[in-house]
Amino acid sequence: MRFLGNVLATIVGLFVFFMMLFFGMLLVGALFGGDDTVRVKDNSVIELDLKEVVNDYGGQFKFTDFDYFETKNDGVSDVLNAIEAAKTDDKIKGISILNNESMIGVSQRRAIRNKLEEFKKTGKFVYAYSNAYSQPEYYLNSVANTIYMNPVGELEFKGLSSEILFFKDFQEKSGIKMEVIRHGKYKSAVEPFLENEMSPANREQMTVLLNSIWGTVVSDIAKSRKISVDSLNSIANSLGARTPELAKQKHLIDRIAYEDQYHNDIRKALKVEKDEEYNKVSVLDYAKKVATTGKDHSIKDKIAVVYAQGEIKSGEGDVGYIGEGSMRRAIEEARNDKKVKAVVLRVNSPGGSALTSELIWREIELTKKVKPVVVSMGNLAASGGYYISCNANTIFAEPSTITGSIGVFGALPNFNPLATKWGINAEQVKTHKNASGYSVFEPLDENFKNYVTESIEHIYTTFLKRVAAGRKMTTQQVDAIAQGRVWTGTDAVKLGLVDKLGGMDKAITHAAKLAKIDKYRIENYPEYEKTFEDMLREFSGISIFQSREALIKEELGEENYQALEQIRRVNQRKGNQVIMPFEITIR
């Protein structure tokens, strides 16, 4: 007992200590934090470091247990706003992309490339340097006026590929299997649990998808570097730009140089002496400055931009996933605000819960009766992501956006083989035939399977009706291009699933046109509600503690961890799913 008492006292003591430390840091920050305004010096260069940029929207957070509000300006949208502001900022003379490494998707990179192209047209420079260019980073860097590479560096330019893991044998060996019920011949989100190899239908859609995305990427590079598409494809086939010398010979880069030489060239452009430091500001610091000083609050009319990013789940939602709580609250608030003249829904989602998708769809339907709703699709707006988009007045997508995937599936984990192997037997007592529902320890009952199938067919039919009504098509027309198949934005326009190609800027401009307003300011949504417990969890995550995910990654390695994560995500999904047809990693 004394031992348990000592353990309890230690735990309480640690808890009190961390509480005091936490609130002490908040108090010190409030008292001595000072002015954290970002100051930009004359003759400065923006450093485009995107390591911390993941989502389109950094997020706004309201802590409900006490009066605390936080806004993060580290989204792609903040980066785009920063570059836009830099175009007319006399203090900013150029942009430097130095050894950038980021996790953003193709459509996000394209949006930044387009904004950098606009920046260059003002007469200001964009320089890029890397010790080694990965293919995604080269795509972004290829927009620069001058591209530098280290003398012993490498350039990856080889085309696109995708690898999908299959778990059928793993299930048989482990005794843990997924019972899958689906609609749509292309609905291959669950294919890895049913087969050991890719189906012809899945291989077909993957081939079309990769070729379409590559076509967009290579066309953009061809325009920036003034090289024909055929030449670029030939280079990719032969790995003909793998060394600095080959890359320069093929005109994919301009200079082979060391980093100090790169900085000296920037000094020349700025007319700064060789031995002097030149003025720099990080893009996220500059984005914060723009966000806090750039709004003209005298403009009354507003356009609400509601960000729907991540998998669609139940609950409140957060910056990394879509929940009905924050989304429905945001859309309703925008709908009821008389100063908001139009709503732009920015979708970057592979889909998820069918129920949550329907709830968000309903909010869009109600809003559309009051004011225009325009959708802007990012990297992904597939399945549930398309469900919440389909009834907008107008839908915009990037050429490389992955969209469509109109289909439904249900996946039920089953441990009966494992339980049998280890001598575990589950017995049930019930008052009615279907009272027990589904048991993970019993084989899937045919009667229960029929009920689930009926539910999936009902959701699929509803999905078709939603799309048909929103896109002014018949359900037969939608069904012909549905079946869970994914399309790029380019193909989606041809099929009528998307109205126009373009990024967020074009969507916002179009929304203003529909609302018949000339001057407006942007209001970002949603605001995520958090508790003190949430804050404490995040606080511990940035202290001396290593996250559980980091520990698992360290032990298993990145690839094994991703395989485990894929199984975990499927196991966590509740109810019928309208989600993208596969876990896709494009390389």
Side-chain angles (χ1 to χ4, degrees), residues 230-423:
D230 287 344
S231 295
L232 287 171
N233 281 323
S234 176
I235 293 168
N237 267 327
S238 63
L239 301 179
R242 59 191 181 275
T243 68
E245 291 75 19
L246 286 171
K248 186 179 180 185
Q249 181 186 332
K250 299 291 171 51
H251 305 294
L252 266 65
I253 67 170
D254 299 294
R255 285 202 61 193
I256 301 171
Y258 292 100
E259 189 178 325
D260 59 286
Q261 295 172 301
Y262 170 76
H263 290 298
N264 283 337
D265 283 357
I266 292 179
R267 288 186 180 93
K268 288 178 185 176
L270 297 174
K271 298 179 181 177
V272 171
E273 292 297 325
K274 192 173 182 179
D275 57 349
E276 289 183 25
E277 283 294 319
Y278 61 88
N279 297 325
K280 297 175 283 233
V281 58
S282 78
V283 70
L284 292 187
D285 282 344
Y286 190 74
K288 182 178 179 182
K289 175 184 180 297
V290 171
T292 53
T293 62
K295 283 187 178 180
D296 184 354
H297 290 279
S298 66
I299 300 173
K300 292 182 180 180
D301 290 342
K302 297 186 289 186
I303 290 179
V305 178
V306 181
Y307 290 88
Q309 52 191 30
E311 189 172 325
I312 301 173
K313 304 178 183 181
S314 60
E316 166 62 14
D318 203 342
V319 71
Y321 79 94
I322 302 164
E324 76 266 16
S326 55
M327 284 299 296
R328 293 176 72 187
R329 194 169 58 247
I331 298 169
E332 183 180 5
E333 186 178 329
R335 179 170 70 241
N336 294 334
D337 187 343
K338 292 182 179 179
K339 292 181 181 178
V340 172
K341 303 303 180 184
V343 175
V344 173
L345 181 68
R346 173 66 173 186
V347 181
N348 204 341
S349 171
S353 164
L355 175 59
T356 303
S357 299
E358 170 74 7
L359 294 174
I360 296 171
W361 173 90
R362 176 60 180 169
E363 293 297 331
I364 297 297
E365 192 71 5
L366 292 172
T367 305
K368 208 171 62 167
K369 295 176 181 178
V370 180
K371 56 193 68 173
V373 178
V374 175
V375 161
S376 168
M377 293 179 169
N379 297 319
L380 291 168
S383 212
Y386 189 77
Y387 197 127
I388 66 175
S389 305
C390 68
N391 60 332
N393 295 93
T394 311
I395 300 176
F396 283 80
E398 293 279 7
S400 55
T401 296
I402 297 173
T403 188
S405 185
I406 301 165
V408 188
F409 75 87
L412 303 166
N414 190 278
F415 304 133
N416 177 258
L418 180 65
T420 302
K421 179 181 178 181
W422 288 98

Side-chain angles (χ1 to χ4, degrees), residues 175-177 179 412-428 436-445:
I176 302 171
K177 64 179 294 189
E179 297 286 1
L412 303 166
N414 190 278
F415 304 133
N416 177 258
L418 180 65
T420 302
K421 179 181 178 181
W422 288 98
I424 299 171
N425 179 43
E427 294 287 340
Q428 299 175 345
S436 61
Y438 175 70
S439 170
V440 297
F441 295 107
E442 296 289 342
L444 180 62
D445 178 73

Side-chain angles (χ1 to χ4, degrees), residues 61-188:
F61 307 89
K62 179 183 178 182
F63 293 87
T64 55
D65 295 333
F66 49 92
D67 189 18
Y68 182 69
F69 186 86
E70 181 183 13
T71 299
K72 293 185 179 178
N73 305 115
D74 59 359
V76 171
S77 60
D78 299 295
V79 172
L80 295 174
N81 290 338
I83 300 171
E84 176 66 28
K87 286 160 54 178
T88 54
D89 187 341
D90 292 337
K91 293 182 177 180
I92 300 297
K93 304 301 181 184
I95 293 176
S96 166
I97 313 174
L98 176 60
N99 285 320
N100 180 62
E101 295 178 4
S102 59
M103 298 299 293
I104 57 176
V106 176
S107 293
Q108 291 169 315
R109 291 178 195 274
R110 189 169 194 270
I112 294 173
R113 279 184 103 265
N114 289 343
K115 191 61 70 173
L116 289 171
E117 284 283 11
E118 293 175 17
F119 179 85
K120 282 164 50 181
K121 289 177 182 177
T122 66
K124 301 181 181 186
F125 66 82
V126 177
Y127 287 174
Y129 179 94
S130 184
N131 291 323
Y133 287 105
S134 68
Q135 189 164 257
E137 295 308 334
Y138 179 74
Y139 175 50
L140 177 61
N141 283 252
S142 64
V143 74
N145 297 96
T146 309
I147 303 175
Y148 297 72
M149 192 162 111
N150 188 287
V152 292
E154 294 179 349
L155 193 153
E156 180 187 66
F157 192 76
K158 57 184 177 54
L160 302 180
S161 68
S162 183
E163 184 177 78
I164 299 174
L165 300 177
F166 290 81
F167 303 101
K168 185 180 179 183
D169 283 351
F170 171 81
Q171 293 176 104
E172 292 173 358
K173 290 177 181 179
S174 67
I176 302 171
K177 64 179 294 189
M178 298 299 296
E179 297 286 1
V180 174
I181 305 165
R182 59 179 172 171
H183 186 113
K185 65 179 180 179
Y186 291 97
K187 204 66 191 172
S188 46

Side-chain angles (χ1 to χ4, degrees), residues 190-251:
V190 288
E191 189 175 87
F193 299 99
L194 301 174
E195 306 293 342
N196 278 326
E197 59 186 24
M198 192 179 293
S199 66
N202 196 7
R203 186 171 293 278
E204 175 195 349
Q205 72 169 345
M206 282 297 300
T207 302
V208 171
L209 189 76
L210 290 176
N211 281 326
S212 183
I213 293 172
W214 176 251
T216 298
V217 168
V218 78
S219 294
D220 288 341
I221 295 173
K223 184 178 178 182
S224 294
R225 298 302 301 168
K226 296 179 174 57
I227 306 172
S228 72
V229 169
D230 287 344
S231 295
L232 287 171
N233 281 323
S234 176
I235 293 168
N237 267 327
S238 63
L239 301 179
R242 59 191 181 275
T243 68
E245 291 75 19
L246 286 171
K248 186 179 180 185
Q249 181 186 332
K250 299 291 171 51
H251 305 294

